[in-house]
Amino acid sequence: MPKNPRLSRSRIGLILFGMCALVPSVYASTDGHTASLFLWIALLLIAAKISSLAVERIQQPAVLGELLIGVLLGNLGLFGINYFEAIKTDEVMAFLAQLGVVLLLFKSGLETNIDTILKVGMRAFLVACIGVIVPFGLAYFIAPLILPNLSQNTYLFLGATLTATSIGITSRVFKDLGKLNTPEAQIVLGAAVLDDVMGLVILAVVSAIVTTGTVSAGEVSWITLKAGLFLVGSIVIGQWTADYIGKKLSKIHAGESMKFTLVICFGLIFAYLAHLVGLAPIVGAFAAGLVLDKVQFEDFEDAAVHGDIQKTLIHADEELKDRVENVLEKHRHHHIENLIDPLGHFLIPLFFVLTGMQVNLHSFTNLPILATALVITALAFVSKLAAGLAAGKVNKWIVGWGMAPRGEVGLIFAMTGRGLGVVDDDMFAVIVIMITLTTLLTPPILGHLLRKAA
Amino acid sequence: MPKNPRLSRSRIGLILFGMCALVPSVYASTDGHTASLFLWIALLLIAAKISSLAVERIQQPAVLGELLIGVLLGNLGLFGINYFEAIKTDEVMAFLAQLGVVLLLFKSGLETNIDTILKVGMRAFLVACIGVIVPFGLAYFIAPLILPNLSQNTYLFLGATLTATSIGITSRVFKDLGKLNTPEAQIVLGAAVLDDVMGLVILAVVSAIVTTGTVSAGEVSWITLKAGLFLVGSIVIGQWTADYIGKKLSKIHAGESMKFTLVICFGLIFAYLAHLVGLAPIVGAFAAGLVLDKVQFEDFEDAAVHGDIQKTLIHADEELKDRVENVLEKHRHHHIENLIDPLGHFLIPLFFVLTGMQVNLHSFTNLPILATALVITALAFVSKLAAGLAAGKVNKWIVGWGMAPRGEVGLIFAMTGRGLGVVDDDMFAVIVIMITLTTLLTPPILGHLLRKAA
């Protein structure tokens, strides 16, 4: 046996002794980053849950609790606690949050009836149009009076930012309060999707004007065509495909995990396709949810409880059997949603806590900036409330407030402008405060209006 | 109004026209990487599902399908298709896979009865000891005869690599076939956990010998103490805490999302703590599952179906009510597991597909390396089968084969040795082939043995 001068037999003895003595070891099957992520996720989820419970006690939507705890954790740096700073810029956390908001819109789509939303389609279109024109106009023509001496391009970007609608916040509030199937919610959801499509074109057009001074009609038409085909095509073709795939696969295998995989992958692929045609992935996820709303997955039904209960009732009288069957039937229809709920419990709070963490409270301490921001915030609210006026015979206030939060979409506008050099640090702070206030004030106000209406 | 020379009224008109004409835009609310991840996850999950169905048709455990499709996708580069290459090194995918295996072991812990595993504790300890000593001894004393002229340190690392047990693969096979609560499975699970604790100490000791030529008894004792305290403490204190927290929180709020958050965070925090004391996070997750196995979450019961059925049966006779109540009771006990199942459907296949993708088929084409690898693989199987002989009055073959897959744990050993410069490219290829074969051959063999025993 070859001898190693550095390794004596006594050392081998030590190794063997070590094994038998059950000596554990410092080894890194998982690197420190992965382990930190486990802890971060656990801490954020627990914090989100506790905070949600606290705000629900004072009759507020749970999402407000998740946002506020995010603001708190994200600003602990002001008190010298920097533990949570790394979470704000972590790539994996950012992805989990994105997956969370995609899932949220997918769930909203599943719970939304496609016929209802088509019925309010014209109203939603009007609300979306006014919700884009009025904020843009107000910012473009009134902001120069309040904030003179800025470049035309800056006003353009401010206008673009004010047109945004954060479908995530609003759909969570409606969900938290169980109002997702009211006409008001359907109009807001429809308008927010159209808003994503039309409002954000301004970003492309405005960006083109800032960078090249002009905009190509051909390019704009091509972008329009792609997105139009996606939205119409996804609903028409998707409805056919999902039905077909569902029926095909139900013949191969029955089981909850198959149904779950199909449903989730359908949503993810639509999110990807939306990105491919230039839309936000959340719009694709919402469309996927709308499509699957129609698909029957009955063959995949996990029938464990149902089958057992039916067996138990085999000698019971017919009327009782029918009554129990009706109960089971009622619960069966919620099955797709229930199946992806746990994934939602895991990912969706991460999105809202991380959104809250992006708020920098430091910008609230500069008085001139704060004053300007409050005026811009007022414009932001007023202009979307004006959009609500187009909502027809529903509660116009609910629609208007539902359109108000700018959320992450507004932030993307502002960051694009910053990247192009037309939004300076002060203007960025103003926009961030406006986004923060529209995002944080909307849940309690909307919650109040919804409860009053009920 | 200030005028911008680059912006004419006609351009503003164009912008407004653009909005009303519903022109979508190329904007990046989600960057390309995030969108790609959505697609990758969907493709991997669908591929995993189809492949699992295919292997289940020929009576193989589903995990084999996930591993094989991973091998296929990971080696498409050999045919010039490089689309999946980026997935192998993607940080986010790696994290999702890690989260998946943590969840798998957490679920295995939940499904494992702590009393049963303590009852087979002594047997598991013997199996673990022999499963460490025999592979290490064989590699250290026999490998020099087959592969002469290598340094003593290389033989040390080869020995260490052979001691590993991949608890992930084995627990999936037992789960796939519904045999997780057999005495054989309990012994293998217990031995694999102890193996992680004791087997991997060799990595620390061997690494210390390679780098400093010596090893400190004080350090080894400190590591032992930490891990020992973690394993014993987590079960003793954890059982008390989980009970206490569960009762406390049940008074605040009842709901599925609260139960889910508690359960998941408990597992994640244990995974983190295990990492903190130097153990693999999966060991912590398994311990958390064992602890929660005992915790009652009855107050959190999502009682929608149950309550409704009881109301329906209110006028039925007592015997029928009792029978239905028994059915509901039976299903209630599976509730914790059911709650985290969807998250498992999402994450666990990603771990196994990604594990498969790490296999480089190119190394199988070098004949001398392949020949050496086959001999080492034979040693790997024989030495763990020897460990099975210590399993007492159970099916020793099942225990022995259950201990055989080296999986990701073996790979970590080999990569550490490579990092220290004692495992060269050829030896690494040999180890990778051995790991691949023990990982891929075990599921079908174990599946066959389990079906024969049943």
Side-chain angles (χ1 to χ4, degrees), chain A residues 23 25 49 200-201 257 278 280, chain B residues 7 23 25 27 49 200-201 257 278:
Chain A
V23 195
S25 111
K49 206 73 219 169
L200 295 176
V201 72
S257 79
Chain B
L7 191 78
V23 195
S25 115
Y27 92 107
K49 206 73 221 170
L200 295 174
V201 71
S257 79

Side-chain angles (χ1 to χ4, degrees), chain A residues 26 43 135 163 174 202 219 314 343 353 412:
Chain A
V26 193
L43 293 179
T163 66
F174 284 121
I202 304 172
E219 200 183 327
I314 201 153
L343 201 57
V353 175
I412 290 153

Side-chain angles (χ1 to χ4, degrees), chain B residues 198-268:
Chain B
M198 78 169 99
L200 295 174
V201 71
I202 303 170
L203 190 61
V205 174
V206 164
S207 298
I209 291 171
V210 169
T211 47
T212 66
T214 182
V215 66
S216 139
E219 201 183 327
V220 168
S221 310
W222 171 228
I223 294 167
T224 318
L225 189 71
K226 277 198 299 183
L229 279 178
F230 173 77
L231 277 186
V232 177
S234 68
I235 290 180
V236 175
I237 302 175
Q239 253 176 309
W240 175 77
T241 324
D243 218 20
Y244 177 79
I245 293 177
K247 274 182 192 151
K248 270 279 174 211
L249 282 167
S250 69
K251 284 175 195 156
I252 299 174
H253 188 265
E256 200 182 70
S257 79
M258 173 53 100
K259 178 161 56 165
F260 173 85
T261 305
L262 268 181
V263 168
I264 285 291
C265 292
F266 196 83
L268 287 176

Side-chain angles (χ1 to χ4, degrees), chain A residues 397-414:
Chain A
W397 286 100
I398 292 176
V399 174
W401 285 102
M403 299 291 290
R406 264 61 173 189
E408 73 292 354
V409 188
L411 206 60
I412 290 153
F413 278 55

Side-chain angles (χ1 to χ4, degrees), chain A residues 36 39-40 43 76 80-87, chain B residues 272:
Chain A
S36 296
L39 185 64
W40 289 346
L43 293 179
L76 285 178
I81 302 168
N82 294 312
Y83 179 74
F84 294 95
E85 291 302 306
I87 298 179
Chain B
Y272 174 76

Side-chain angles (χ1 to χ4, degrees), chain B residues 58-69:
Chain B
I58 51 166
Q59 319 294 323
Q60 297 301 322
V63 65
L64 182 67
E66 295 173 7
L67 288 169
L68 287 179
I69 197 77

Side-chain angles (χ1 to χ4, degrees), chain B residues 12 19 41 68 73 124 152 208 211 218 262 284 348 351 375 383 400 420 453:
Chain B
I12 299 175
M19 296 175 218
I41 293 172
L68 287 179
L73 295 178
Q152 205 68 354
T211 47
L262 268 181
I348 295 171
F351 172 74
V375 177
S383 58
L420 292 171

Side-chain angles (χ1 to χ4, degrees), chain A residues 284-307:
Chain A
F286 184 75
L290 279 182
V291 169
L292 278 192
D293 184 35
K294 285 277 176 189
V295 175
Q296 296 305 316
F297 273 101
E298 276 157 28
D299 292 341
F300 290 98
E301 186 57 39
D302 180 2
V305 186
H306 301 181

